[in-house]
Amino acid sequence: MSKAFSAIGEERDVERDEFTPGVEPQPTWCPGCGDFGVLKALKGAMAELGKDPEEILLCTGIGCSGKLNSYFDSYGFHTIHGRSLPVARASKLANHDLEVVAAGGDGDGYGIGGNHFMHTARENHDLTYIVFNNEIFGLTKGQTSPTSPKGHKSKTQPHGVAKDPLRPLSMSLSAGASYIARTAAVNPNQAQEILVEAMEHDGFAHVDFLTQCPTWNKDAKQYVPYVDVQESDDYDFDVSDRREASEMMYETEDALHEGTVLTGRYYKQEGRNSYQQEKQARGDMPEEPLAGAYFDDDKEWERSYEFIDRHK
Amino acid sequence: MTDDELIWRVAGGSGDGIDSTSQNFAKALMRSGLDVFTHRHYPSRIRGGHTYVEIRAKDGNVTSRGDGYNFLLALGDSFARNPTDDAVYGDEEVKPLTENLDDLREGGIIVYDEGLLDEDDVEGLDERAEENGWHVYPLDLRGIAKEHGREVMRNTAGVGATAALTDMDLDHIEDLMSDAMGGEVLEQNLEVLHDAYDQVNEMEFSHDLRVPEGEHDEEQVLVSGSHGIAYAAIDAGCRFIAGYPMTPWTDVYTIMTSLLPDMGGISEQVEDEIAAAALAVGASHAGVKAMSGSSGGGFALMSEPLGLAEMTETPLVLLEAMRAGPSTGMPTKPEQADLEHILYTSQGDSHRVAFGPSDPKECYEQTRTAFEIAWEYQIPSIVVYDQKLSGEYRNVDASFFDREPNPTLGSTLTEDELAEAPHDDTGKFHRFQQETDNGVSPRSIPGQKGGRYLASGNEHWPNGHIAEDPDNRQMQVDRRIQKLESIRTDLDERDQQVVYGDEDADFGLVVWGSQQGTVEEAVNRLNANGNSVKALGVSDLSPFPVEEVSAFVDSVDEALVVEMSATKQFRGLIQKEAGTFGGKLSSLLKYNGNPFEPAEIVEAVEIEQNGGDEQPTAQTTLEPAAGD
Ligand SMILES: Cc1ncc(C[n+]2csc(CCOP(=O)(O)OP(=O)(O)O)c2C)c(N)n1
Ligand code: SF4
């Protein structure tokens, strides 16, 4: 069986360049786009973790952000708008030895895929989910997104949006994510550290990644200067304490509306079973990766005939 | 007149155990050597409300529920629990004794629970019984049940009474009861059974209906269409199912879920149907045979992941259990009007393979075919069936299910093969490049060494990267279409269409799905009455078996297309795929929530053969041939 997926768990030093898919294709992102920062941080994090490109599955949605896996070399699944999480979840259940990462925009993840986001967090799948939060729809040319600030004007909200922006960190916490952080493309070093932590975490790790869109989100937002809440003396809270984390998230979300960028780790729940572990504990999921069974020549496949007695 | 068949209807309230009682009784009849067929009617309501199950049993093949029934066991009351005086359900309380009484055959038997139903509340029962030669036996079933156990056991009393009235042995019934229960409950039920049996046996009988005699050459099993589908999936190596409940797809979903985890498989109940189908796509992509499914409205949500599977060439099986629509329509009533929905949903020049089985055996065969085709050709296959077939139980030779499993992942490469396969300069596998003459491009599974590629729902280069290059686009589209031609050839070899009746008949019937068995019975009756007709049951819906259907229609002067749809969807499909046949095709339609009965088809064929000027008496519609 090991022969079936021999890219998995292979120990060697992995260079970050291995994640670059050669000269082609060149990213189609605009100059100055925050998405470059995510790509850089992700390559660094994977190399740091020593992951072989072929043991990684990177599932993305649709949008500028969804093109991430076009420029990152690994197994990839560029799905459809909002649906990267259900595809990623099932891939992980099918083969839990894979390193599965899902990524997409704020429109993709908090808007059209909001229901999947809520439920994936609740189920605490062992996944890392990167949301490129540029507070705008990029690829469809600048419409208001769920995180755009109240009053934001766009072609679809010419009088300024009348809705309060969604609070991704608070939402993630109440939905049940077990690791929650916010970082920014302008700070690839912090971003890389956070991605490494997120991938090492056994459970659903949500990284709200502030990415500037200089093309459509003109009135800001390079997300600088940013403050790292772990480094700053002004903030002192316990990331393992739900209440303290919740208050800090709320403050962070309010601050961003007012133009202050707070980043860092917000919540880390230790000792909680991931969904896979919960299922395995209930006998609802095999210990060995299910996908491996199909490459195991010695496996005896059960068949319906074994259940037929009850119908006699 | 002695009937050569028993059509036993047990009627009462939803939640009264009508289902389990009828299933056990059907099994007892099967074990006594008869062929059985069950038909279930229930309202979209959890407790209370009129519900019934009919079991048709005779010696020899039964392919439909038949017309009407000859034995009514009215268990009553079909009212909601604790009815209030001013409830708006009308005569619901006595409905088991009044509903569809017109369908009770002449000389039929009525047993009702006088402990619960008051005959005086049923208008004109005496006169009607007199007119139709019905034999009415009031029995205090509730009293008997209470005397030995609890009131709910009145079902058992009803079965005991039925056995006595039809001269049926209690052995099989007793065996089945001992399999299902034990201890005091079993003791009490056996007492109830015998007491009812003995009391009835002491009565004077005025009827002469006896349970028919029969014999099977082989051991039988009683399975529904949903069992056929679920068992086929398991034998096909499917070990992952994701879903969201919706009637009637829930049946397959629950059968699979009750089995998979214990077999090392995975079942997921998820937030909605988009997620369900997307999970199946994800699991399949990662190397597990996976499926999902739903009914009309839920399937509508799957349109997106269906297209994703097609574009990324991810194998996938989806089920669509039809019920009457549009929207939530009639949740517990069958219709065949989602045909166009499953064939054409999803944008672009998109393709899927679709099968429409007609009975539990075909459900098994075609679901296995659906898996084989999906994994071999890396394309979504859909099995479309309906509420009727989903819950319809029939006896099948037990040996039918004794098949080898087929867990192969189809056109998937091993790492050794991947090492030999084409890659681009940077080491990316050319996953979407034709190397075979059937258009299929073998795939790799994430985690395999040397198999790295991008699966994209956007149009892509051979290595999976997004591409808008015109030449590549055309090559990829052509290759995906080429797969369909190969699939058609493959399906031709499997020959899943059924021709039935007089080979050289001039009049033909064309049918698909759950109505096929009813049409077969109608053909038998028509031919026994001196007509000459034949029928074609179409199982492959996409790609369509153009040659076979054309040859059949060409061979007759006139053909009647029978379907449960108001908009002639199946006839439309034939005309789109195979031609209009010079106005030879006319339609028989039914869309009132009930499936066809054989007599309705017989009537329609006779009208058509007389020039087609009358309208049928039944709730069916005859639509003339185009151009008439
Ligand atoms: C079902 C569906 N609806 C709409 C679209 C069009 N669409 C493509 S990208 C996008 C918005 C993307 O915004 P976001 O997720 O914030 O990503 P960004 O481009 O900003 O990275 C939309 C609406 C689509 N592809 N599919
Ligand atoms: S539109 Fe905005 S998000 Fe998209 S690539 Fe350009 S800068 Fe980046």
Side-chain angles (χ1 to χ4, degrees):
Chain A
M1 220 158 56
S2 56
K3 217 161 172 294
F5 300 117
S6 58
I8 296 175
E10 200 201 9
E11 291 204 14
R12 63 181 176 87
D13 286 341
V14 181
E15 300 294 321
R16 52 175 301 136
D17 284 353
E18 292 182 45
F19 301 102
T20 306
V23 278
E24 229 234 328
Q26 292 292 330
T28 54
W29 292 325
C30 313
C33 175
D35 295 7
F36 289 103
V38 186
L39 180 61
K40 187 168 177 221
L42 185 65
K43 285 181 185 174
M46 286 297 186
E48 191 177 331
L49 284 165
K51 292 287 174 194
D52 187 290
E54 296 194 328
E55 68 179 309
I56 301 164
L57 177 63
L58 178 56
C59 297
T60 60
I62 296 293
C64 299
S65 45
K67 298 215 170 125
L68 180 69
N69 51 13
S70 295
Y71 317 129
F72 179 87
D73 208 3
S74 72
Y75 275 99
F77 204 143
H78 180 221
T79 66
I80 34 180
H81 199 31
R83 318 294 169 213
S84 65
L85 282 174
V87 173
R89 257 152 73 180
S91 307
K92 185 75 182 180
L93 290 170
N95 186 351
H96 50 258
D97 283 350
L98 287 172
E99 182 64 43
V100 181
V101 175
D106 48 284
D108 190 85
Y110 303 148
I112 190 165
N115 197 25
H116 307 311
F117 175 55
M118 182 166 90
H119 286 276
T120 312
R122 166 191 167 220
E123 290 169 12
N124 196 31
H125 287 266
D126 185 13
L127 297 174
T128 299
Y129 185 38
I130 305 169
V131 182
F132 295 54
N133 185 358
N134 56 10
E135 303 187 359
I136 202 86
F137 280 13
L139 194 66
T140 44
K141 302 196 168 179
Q143 300 81 2
T144 308
S145 93
T147 47
S148 299
K150 193 171 191 173
H152 176 88
K153 287 186 182 169
S154 74
K155 282 192 181 156
T156 49
Q157 311 279 357
H159 302 289
V161 61
K163 309 172 200 183
D164 277 325
L166 190 124
R167 295 171 170 274
L169 304 173
S170 306
M171 192 169 98
S172 185
L173 184 74
S174 44
S178 54
Y179 179 93
I180 304 165
R182 169 174 274 179
T183 186
V186 286
N187 186 8
N189 293 340
Q190 183 205 41
Q192 180 169 324
E193 279 170 30
I194 283 180
L195 288 182
V196 168
E197 272 175 36
M199 286 187 283
E200 282 179 336
H201 176 74
D202 290 334
F204 187 67
H206 168 216
V207 180
D208 185 70
F209 211 123
L210 299 171
T211 51
Q212 68 276 12
C213 171
T215 305
W216 304 113
N217 214 353
K218 299 270 192 222
D219 24 308
K221 267 195 181 158
Q222 298 296 312
Y223 304 108
V224 277
Y226 68 89
V227 176
D228 184 327
V229 293
Q230 263 82 35
E231 299 291 313
S232 161
D233 293 339
D234 296 344
Y235 304 98
D236 179 28
F237 69 102
D238 177 359
V239 289
S240 65
D241 185 297
R242 220 183 158 81
R243 270 172 204 280
E244 288 186 25
S246 166
E247 272 173 33
M248 194 57 224
M249 286 176 186
Y250 220 78
E251 199 178 326
T252 300
E253 285 154 346
D254 282 344
L256 190 65
H257 307 161
E258 285 146 19
T260 307
V261 187
L262 306 184
T263 62
R265 295 87 171 147
Y266 286 86
Y267 185 57
K268 182 163 186 177
Q269 188 180 18
E270 301 280 7
R272 176 172 163 208
N273 274 347
S274 69
Y275 185 58
Q276 167 200 326
Q277 289 162 335
E278 285 290 344
K279 268 183 97 82
Q280 283 171 334
R282 284 168 170 69
D284 247 8
M285 193 178 145
E287 296 294 326
E288 292 292 317
L290 183 51
Y294 293 86
F295 293 90
D296 179 358
D297 292 339
D298 298 329
K299 183 178 160 61
E300 296 246 347
W301 288 82
E302 277 149 303
R303 50 193 187 140
S304 71
Y305 200 70
E306 289 158 23
F307 311 116
I308 266 315
D309 275 353
R310 65 187 76 162
H311 301 281
K312 282 178 179 162
Chain B
M1 178 200 104
T2 306
D3 297 8
D4 63 356
E5 61 182 354
L6 172 68
I7 304 186
W8 184 73
R9 174 186 288 203
V10 53
S14 280
D16 275 351
I18 300 280
D19 244 13
S20 53
T21 308
S22 62
Q23 252 190 57
N24 271 334
F25 192 58
K27 258 193 197 175
L29 290 164
M30 174 183 86
R31 286 188 182 184
S32 77
L34 297 170
D35 280 7
V36 293
F37 185 104
T38 74
H39 167 77
R40 183 171 175 224
H41 169 104
Y42 61 108
S44 184
R45 198 168 138 178
I46 304 307
R47 290 203 77 85
H50 180 249
T51 169
Y52 66 77
V53 176
E54 256 173 39
I55 300 169
R56 187 179 186 199
K58 64 193 262 195
D59 179 20
N61 199 16
V62 237
T63 62
S64 89
R65 66 184 282 203
D67 322 284
Y69 53 102
N70 57 13
F71 193 120
L72 172 65
L73 172 62
L75 282 174
D77 52 57
S78 63
F79 213 85
R81 298 280 135 160
N82 310 318
T84 55
D85 287 341
D86 55 357
V88 291
Y89 303 115
D91 64 353
E92 194 87 2
E93 210 164 340
V94 288
K95 228 175 182 177
L97 196 45
T98 56
E99 182 82 344
N100 305 329
L101 218 44
D102 289 349
D103 295 338
L104 181 62
R105 292 183 184 172
E106 233 177 84
I109 298 173
I110 298 176
V111 177
Y112 72 89
D113 189 348
E114 61 177 348
L116 275 166
L117 295 171
D118 191 349
E119 198 179 321
D120 296 339
D121 288 346
V122 184
E123 234 173 274
L125 184 63
D126 281 351
E127 296 93 82
R128 294 190 66 186
E130 177 92 33
E131 265 169 45
N132 291 295
W134 292 337
H135 307 270
V136 185
Y137 301 97
L139 280 172
D140 185 9
L141 301 173
R142 176 162 78 159
I144 298 173
K146 272 185 161 168
E147 197 186 321
H148 303 282
R150 292 187 302 127
E151 182 176 338
V152 287
M153 296 178 188
R154 61 181 201 271
N155 292 353
T156 306
V159 169
T162 304
L165 286 163
T166 58
D167 199 16
M168 186 180 164
D169 221 23
L170 287 183
D171 293 1
H172 295 303
I173 298 169
E174 286 173 354
D175 286 352
L176 285 160
M177 278 166 56
S178 346
D179 288 349
M181 43 192 144
E184 202 190 354
V185 183
L186 175 64
E187 289 305 313
Q188 292 175 339
N189 266 293
L190 287 173
E191 280 170 28
V192 171
L193 182 75
H194 284 279
D195 194 0
Y197 186 87
D198 295 342
Q199 282 193 29
V200 173
N201 246 349
E202 272 161 32
M203 295 171 19
E204 289 275 316
F205 292 173
S206 51
H207 67 275
D208 64 354
L209 178 70
R210 297 282 173 274
V211 68
E213 279 177 24
E215 209 179 297
H216 292 125
D217 300 337
E218 268 196 58
E219 192 169 27
Q220 301 292 301
V221 290
L222 189 67
V223 289
S224 67
S226 292
H227 284 105
I229 291 172
Y231 285 173
I234 283 165
D235 291 351
C238 172
R239 292 294 180 274
F240 187 101
I241 190 167
Y244 190 86
M246 186 164 187
T247 304
W249 124 268
T250 313
D251 284 355
V252 171
Y253 183 30
T254 29
I255 296 168
M256 292 287 285
T257 306
S258 71
L259 300 171
L260 276 188
D262 291 334
M263 305 169 68
I266 295 175
S267 169
E268 283 285 289
Q269 183 183 326
V270 295
E271 58 270 27
D272 58 36
E273 287 86 350
I274 308 178
L279 260 92
V281 169
S284 169
H285 175 74
V288 171
K289 281 189 156 174
M291 77 172 185
S292 183
S294 190
S295 294
F299 191 82
L301 294 180
M302 297 184 165
S303 168
E304 264 193 358
L306 176 76
L308 176 67
E310 202 224 330
M311 192 55 150
T312 56
E313 302 185 59
T314 309
L316 175 68
V317 170
L318 291 179
L319 307 179
E320 219 268 43
M322 296 180 289
R323 60 195 225 180
S327 192
T328 17
M330 293 204 282
T332 62
K333 304 285 178 247
E335 213 165 76
Q336 295 180 298
D338 292 354
L339 177 61
E340 292 182 348
H341 179 50
I342 63 117
L343 289 176
Y344 308 124
T345 186
S346 189
Q347 67 276 21
D349 281 324
S350 75
H351 308 281
R352 75 288 330 253
V353 185
F355 302 100
S358 72
D359 62 23
K361 280 167 87 171
E362 281 193 10
C363 282
Y364 181 91
E365 293 289 1
Q366 290 173 29
T367 304
R368 280 202 71 159
T369 306
F371 273 94
E372 279 157 26
I373 298 284
W375 263 261
E376 199 51 50
Y377 294 91
Q378 307 174 351
I379 190 170
S381 331
I382 298 172
V383 179
V384 57
Y385 60 112
D386 63 25
Q387 183 270 350
K388 174 180 186 284
L389 182 51
S390 164
E392 193 164 272
Y393 281 81
R394 289 176 72 170
N395 59 299
V396 173
D397 290 346
S399 62
F400 174 81
F401 291 97
D402 193 4
R403 313 283 189 94
E404 284 308 309
N406 178 9
T408 56
L409 286 183
S411 32
T412 303
L413 300 176
T414 62
E415 291 190 345
D416 289 343
E417 289 164 337
L418 273 169
E420 304 292 311
H423 290 74
D424 64 19
D425 295 347
T426 65
K428 232 168 188 164
F429 168 50
H430 272 190
R431 187 252 179 275
F432 301 102
Q433 180 176 40
Q434 177 178 351
E435 288 159 34
T436 48
D437 52 14
N438 60 5
V440 177
S441 187
R443 63 182 184 143
S444 60
I445 304 290
Q448 281 184 315
K449 197 101 204 150
R452 203 163 83 251
Y453 75 99
L454 178 64
S456 180
N458 284 48
E459 188 59 273
H460 38 253
W461 295 112
N463 66 2
H465 282 291
I466 300 171
E468 293 188 349
D469 176 83
D471 291 339
N472 175 71
R473 161 69 179 177
Q474 201 162 327
M475 184 272 276
Q476 297 289 3
V477 172
D478 288 347
R479 188 175 56 75
R480 291 193 292 264
I481 291 177
Q482 189 194 345
K483 291 199 288 186
L484 278 145
E485 287 159 21
S486 315
I487 292 169
R488 181 67 268 155
T489 314
D490 189 335
L491 289 177
D492 279 343
E493 272 165 34
R494 295 169 195 245
D495 194 18
Q496 301 195 115
Q497 282 54 247
V498 177
V499 183
Y500 196 82
D502 279 352
E503 210 180 296
D504 37 47
D506 296 331
F507 192 93
L509 291 143
V510 192
V511 63
W512 78 281
S514 71
Q515 303 311 290
Q516 189 177 322
T518 313
V519 163
E520 284 177 14
E521 178 160 352
V523 168
N524 285 351
R525 288 194 204 174
L526 283 158
N527 288 346
N529 288 345
N531 295 284
S532 173
V533 298
K534 62 180 176 180
L536 173 69
V538 178
S539 295
D540 301 345
L541 301 166
S542 170
F544 198 71
V546 175
E547 274 181 33
E548 243 175 303
V549 173
S550 304
F552 180 86
V553 182
D554 285 341
S555 76
V556 291
D557 294 337
E558 247 183 288
L560 186 64
V561 184
V562 179
E563 58 182 312
M564 282 191 285
S565 139
T567 51
K568 306 187 283 275
Q569 297 189 10
F570 183 52
R571 175 166 146 196
L573 177 65
I574 297 172
Q575 290 176 336
K576 172 176 179 277
E577 296 281 350
T580 52
F581 299 102
K584 256 190 204 180
L585 299 177
S586 49
S587 291
L588 179 65
L589 310 171
K590 191 171 182 184
Y591 45 90
N592 67 355
N594 293 316
F596 283 99
E597 292 174 20
E600 293 170 343
I601 295 165
V602 168
E603 182 193 29
V605 172
E606 281 168 350
I607 293 174
E608 282 297 286
Q609 289 192 325
N610 288 333
D613 297 332
E614 297 160 55
Q615 267 304 314
T617 52
Q619 281 184 319
T620 58
T621 313
L622 269 170
E623 291 270 347
D628 272 19

